[in-house]
Amino acid sequence: MAKPKVFVARQIFQEALDMIAAEAEVEVWPDELPPPRDVLLQKVADVDGLLSLLTDKVDGGLMDAAPKLRVISQIAVGYENIDMKEATRRGIPVGYTPGVLTRTTADMAFALLMAAARRLVEGAEAVKAGKWKTWHPLHFLGPDIHGATLGILGMGRIGLEMAKRAQGFEMPILYNDVIRRPKEEEEQYHMRFESLDTVLKESDFISVHVNLTPDTYHLISDQELDLMKPTVVLVNAARGPVIDPKALYRALKNKSIGAAALDVTEPEPIAIDDPLLTLDNCIIVPHIASASVATRLRMSTMAAENLIAGLRGEKMVNCVNPEVYQR
Ligand code: DGY
């Protein structure tokens, strides 16, 4: 029997490609940049399975162009690039990679917090530029991290890991989310559930970990930034559009907040002439919070497992829309 066909929209770990190749005829998009839309539509024309990335728009148009498509496997925990209604309507299971990147992403969010507070990027750049002339009592000052109040917006898997990391720095935690964590957990990690406004007003550091939904789009804009302390360090390792970038620029430029450290931006990649890139008090890295070797390997193999389950007509373990199996 002929093997099913699969399009893998970017190079992933070879271990994962080998797993897929044992079951299917695989084409891998070799370029660093995503396939252009017309090419992607062409590539999926006769595939049974698609392994997609956040950067690939998987909408009804793509599904129309892929009449044989019976599984989509996304190598990410987020899937806002996929039209889930369309996939579910067509009975196509969509896989994703939850859990495996939680701690790695929290590690990075904490690294960003520390880097922005202690001005690591500015300091390193100054050294490279030959500007280290002397030790000076007033050079490169920033806020202490230990003992400071950490505000966490979105206390899901990654938010909770952030809270755990903060324990080592003796940071009391204020948090806001649509649901509250169990009391025992709040006590264990010194967390207090508060209104959004209170978290914004009372935190020395704020780390954003909400999903991007219509409700969280520009959750942080002028009004919210105005509530924050003038020294606050704002971290975003969730999704760029949760923070209004124009409002953030104004707040950083006017020093109405202290600093920001972003793993994600709106749009991605950020334009080279974006004013945020002109600011010393803003660190931006290219959406790499999950980029440890072990985590990206596990994301790759997990995406392969989901894809293979879909090709075999088996239930995938990590499925965004398990309701497709009820039919
Ligand atoms: C995800 O998985 O959604 C991240 O943003 C990339 O690891």
Side-chain angles (χ1 to χ4, degrees):
M1 211 173 73
K3 280 183 170 180
K5 287 190 180 169
V6 159
F7 183 64
V8 177
R10 220 77 88 255
Q11 190 67 46
I12 57 173
F13 277 79
Q14 192 57 45
E15 288 88 330
L17 291 176
D18 291 344
M19 288 164 62
I20 302 169
E23 303 265 338
E25 206 180 294
V26 192
E27 180 176 2
V28 181
W29 180 249
D31 294 357
E32 186 191 350
L33 297 181
R37 175 77 177 172
D38 56 328
V39 177
L40 181 60
L41 295 192
Q42 226 177 298
K43 295 289 179 192
V44 297
D46 65 344
V47 300
D48 301 273
L50 169 66
L51 194 146
S52 57
L53 281 71
L54 282 169
T55 45
D56 308 311
K57 191 171 172 158
V58 183
D59 57 2
L62 180 140
M63 295 175 215
D64 284 341
K68 286 163 63 187
L69 190 65
R70 50 200 171 89
V71 53
I72 299 167
S73 176
Q74 169 100 335
I75 179 169
V77 66
Y79 46 83
E80 64 271 16
N81 58 309
I82 302 176
D83 187 332
M84 286 307 306
K85 262 199 194 134
E86 276 300 314
T88 305
R89 191 175 69 77
R90 294 161 196 251
I92 302 175
V94 175
Y96 70 143
T97 64
V100 293
L101 48 78
T102 304
R103 290 181 299 161
T104 304
T105 302
D107 288 349
M108 181 62 153
F110 214 89
L112 286 170
L113 179 156
M114 295 187 77
R118 303 307 307 275
R119 304 175 64 176
L120 291 193
V121 175
E122 271 179 275
E125 279 174 354
V127 173
K128 281 192 179 164
K131 292 184 184 160
W132 184 13
K133 304 287 186 210
T134 181
W135 187 91
H136 193 293
L138 300 180
H139 277 177
F140 293 107
L141 303 182
D144 267 328
I145 297 160
H146 65 268
T149 299
L150 172 61
I152 299 182
L153 303 181
M155 191 52 83
R157 284 183 290 246
I158 300 173
L160 186 64
E161 286 298 324
M162 192 68 179
K164 289 184 193 172
R165 278 146 187 74
Q167 302 308 298
F169 289 81
E170 298 165 12
M171 300 173 90
I173 291 162
L174 306 178
Y175 79 99
N176 180 262
D177 202 339
V178 282
I179 46 166
R180 198 171 162 170
R181 283 279 177 182
K183 216 171 162 23
E184 309 76 63
E185 221 167 45
E186 292 187 344
E187 279 168 14
Q188 187 179 1
Y189 299 118
H190 309 99
M191 313 190 301
R192 207 169 79 215
F193 182 84
E194 286 292 353
S195 68
L196 176 62
D197 283 8
T198 302
V199 176
L200 299 177
K201 278 185 203 155
E202 294 186 7
S203 302
D204 300 306
F205 294 86
I206 296 175
S207 194
V208 177
H209 298 284
V210 294
N211 291 333
L212 177 60
T213 66
D215 286 340
T216 60
Y217 177 78
H218 288 189
L219 175 71
I220 305 294
S221 192
D222 289 306
Q223 204 184 314
E224 292 72 27
L225 289 157
D226 281 348
L227 292 177
M228 296 179 192
K229 294 186 182 180
T231 49
V232 79
V233 173
L234 177 62
V235 175
N236 187 6
R239 286 292 182 262
V242 174
I243 300 181
D244 174 350
K246 292 201 173 77
L248 179 63
Y249 172 75
R250 285 190 288 272
L252 288 166
K253 178 84 182 160
N254 303 335
K255 304 255 171 20
S256 74
I257 68 167
L262 312 174
D263 179 51
V264 287
T265 58
E266 180 193 20
E268 286 186 17
I270 193 167
I272 190 64
D273 59 355
D274 191 298
L276 282 170
L277 297 178
T278 64
L279 301 173
D280 285 337
N281 56 350
C282 185
I283 297 174
I284 301 182
V285 294
H287 201 149
I288 52 174
S290 66
S292 74
V293 177
T295 291
R296 286 286 168 86
L297 172 60
R298 188 61 193 115
M299 287 168 73
S300 297
T301 55
M302 201 169 184
E305 285 160 11
N306 290 337
L307 186 71
I308 291 165
L311 292 174
R312 289 183 182 164
E314 295 169 0
K315 275 191 187 176
M316 53 173 86
V317 180
N318 296 291
C319 186
V320 181
N321 54 347
E323 59 271 31
V324 295
Y325 297 125
Q326 307 308 323
R327 300 172 180 180

